[in-house]
Amino acid sequence: MKKIIKILTVCLLILTFCSCSVQEKMNSEIFIERFSENCSELDFNNSEIIYDESDCKIFIKNNAGIEFLIELKKDDNNNINKLNLVTTELKAESSFISVSKKMVETYSPDDSSQTIINELFTDGKIKNDFVFFETQWYYYSVAKTENAIYFSVENKKLSPEKNTDLTLKPNDIDTEKGSD
């Protein structure tokens, strides 16, 4: 009898600990629900959400009236595989960084949001360039131009593999001269 109780207890413990994991897949509705709870600076009550076959676009303002576009790219199973954040308000760097951090916390909670922000942004500023950072399961990127600021998170597990081709063809190399 004691052996049966011990076996049942071990089985229950295994089932309990197996269910405690971070959810790596989420659809648009789940993300919007969690993000609206996590990012109180955005006005989700007055946002415009447009659903499409391959993505979901959210036009939203923060408490200061700064407009953002959040794009949720979906895979064939309706799971989000990439998030994009864009604003044309170039002076809104601190708000943009704050919303970016909340997106990381919501979409990729297994990564340290503060580490990601420190790698992508310098002293709370956005570089006038393209910055890329990679963790085990996610790609992160930021770009700033004279017209807009862009942030992206992409799930490596859910995105199609990227193959890069060689840029030089064998016949482009002059075998007579060697390399200079």
Side-chain angles (χ1 to χ4, degrees):
M1 183 68 168
K2 287 184 179 183
K3 286 184 180 182
I4 294 174
I5 292 175
K6 285 182 182 181
I7 292 172
L8 287 174
T9 304
V10 169
C11 290
L12 286 173
L13 285 173
I14 290 172
L15 288 173
T16 302
F17 288 120
C18 290
S19 65
C20 297
S21 65
V22 175
Q23 180 180 354
E24 65 185 45
K25 296 179 181 179
M26 72 176 71
N27 62 26
S28 301
E29 292 78 17
I30 292 172
F31 175 80
I32 292 169
E33 179 183 328
R34 291 179 183 174
F35 190 56
S36 66
E37 292 171 1
N38 193 21
C39 193
S40 60
E41 67 189 79
L42 295 179
D43 184 10
F44 280 88
N45 293 328
N46 295 313
S47 65
E48 182 179 351
I49 302 174
I50 301 171
Y51 289 95
D52 185 309
E53 288 179 16
S54 63
D55 60 6
C56 169
K57 291 179 177 67
I58 306 167
F59 297 90
I60 194 163
K61 292 182 181 181
N62 70 359
N63 298 335
I66 297 167
E67 294 180 275
F68 296 97
L69 167 63
I70 300 170
E71 183 178 39
L72 312 175
K73 296 292 215 177
K74 300 181 286 188
D75 65 9
D76 295 337
N77 295 322
N78 225 14
N79 294 309
I80 300 171
N81 60 2
K82 186 175 184 179
L83 301 172
N84 297 315
L85 173 68
V86 180
T87 187
T88 56
E89 306 279 342
L90 300 179
K91 295 179 182 177
E93 287 183 336
S94 62
S95 295
F96 186 84
I97 293 170
S98 176
V99 173
S100 299
K101 183 176 180 183
K102 297 296 184 185
M103 287 178 78
V104 172
E105 291 171 357
T106 305
Y107 184 66
S108 53
D110 45 343
D111 283 347
S112 166
S113 61
Q114 192 58 51
T115 301
I116 304 303
I117 296 304
N118 291 343
E119 290 291 331
L120 296 175
F121 305 101
T122 306
D123 299 324
K125 298 289 181 191
I126 302 168
K127 299 176 185 177
N128 287 334
D129 203 0
F130 176 79
V131 181
F132 176 79
F133 184 69
E134 180 178 359
T135 63
Q136 182 178 7
W137 300 116
Y138 297 95
Y139 297 113
Y140 299 92
S141 59
V142 174
K144 182 178 180 183
T145 67
E146 60 275 351
N147 299 322
I149 309 170
Y150 171 82
F151 171 75
S152 171
V153 181
E154 184 174 0
N155 187 321
K156 292 180 184 179
K157 293 180 195 175
L158 300 177
S159 296
E161 279 192 39
K162 295 174 173 57
N163 294 328
T164 55
D165 295 331
L166 297 175
T167 56
L168 290 177
K169 296 178 278 196
N171 59 353
D172 288 344
I173 301 171
D174 188 359
T175 56
E176 298 290 320
K177 292 174 109 178
S179 59
D180 291 334

